[in-house]
Amino acid sequence: MSRGKKAAVLIAAFALLCLGLWMYWEREIPLTDILPDATWIKVRLLAGDPDSQEREREFASPPLDEILAAADTAKVTRDGKNPNLSDKYFQIYLYREDGDPTVIYVKNTGQILIAADLDHYRCYEGGEEFYEALSAICAGLPNAA
């Protein structure tokens, strides 16, 4: 193979690698595609605010169907940063019939952390609309006693 063909192959391989990395990090993914395949039977919803004296408050009987519908419309991209919870956030526990719950943190900045196994969090960004939908859902919910 001539020197020019080798260079062309190397440049093409490098371009494909860059394209693949860009698609991995920047492609929008539906939030429900990230969640485990399960039949969700119950949800627990908390709102967190580091500036509040309560720190977190739990909502009584949050509507599972509305929360899942909001998650279904949310599109996110991968995020390499693991943010701390220094902003307002929602914490969602999705329960299935057996096994540990899936935990989702949705920050007001749009960052989302998902722990399907309670040990390993995956980080995403672009969840601003999901945060706003959760805010609207919680507007009419009473606090848990």
Side-chain angles (χ1 to χ4, degrees):
M1 201 186 290
S2 71
R3 206 170 166 173
K5 287 183 182 180
K6 286 180 185 178
V9 167
L10 284 174
I11 290 172
F14 181 73
L16 283 173
L17 176 67
C18 290
L19 178 66
L21 287 172
W22 177 80
M23 286 186 65
Y24 177 81
W25 286 102
E26 297 300 322
R27 181 179 61 94
E28 285 190 337
I29 308 161
L31 185 59
T32 51
D33 287 356
I34 299 167
L35 298 175
D37 290 332
T39 302
W40 307 110
I41 58 168
K42 184 176 128 184
V43 64
R44 181 175 172 218
L45 180 62
L46 295 97
D49 184 356
D51 298 327
S52 171
Q53 287 183 343
E54 294 178 322
R55 176 72 178 152
E56 282 185 349
R57 58 185 182 160
E58 185 172 354
F59 294 98
S61 45
L64 176 61
D65 294 339
E66 289 182 37
I67 292 172
L68 291 177
D72 195 36
T73 60
K75 303 250 190 274
V76 296
T77 58
R78 288 179 174 87
D79 188 9
K81 302 179 286 275
N82 191 355
N84 59 9
L85 296 175
S86 59
D87 299 312
K88 293 182 180 182
Y89 62 90
F90 286 104
Q91 183 177 1
I92 304 167
Y93 289 87
L94 291 173
Y95 294 91
R96 47 190 156 219
E97 288 186 18
D98 58 342
D100 292 328
T102 295
V103 181
I104 305 170
Y105 288 95
V106 183
K107 293 179 56 174
N108 64 341
T109 59
Q111 293 174 307
I112 296 177
L113 285 88
I114 299 175
D117 58 9
L118 297 181
D119 290 334
H120 177 70
Y121 284 89
R122 292 175 291 166
C123 305
Y124 299 91
E125 60 186 0
E128 294 89 354
E129 290 179 16
F130 188 40
Y131 181 88
E132 294 301 322
L134 290 172
S135 296
I137 290 169
C138 291
L141 294 177
N143 289 344

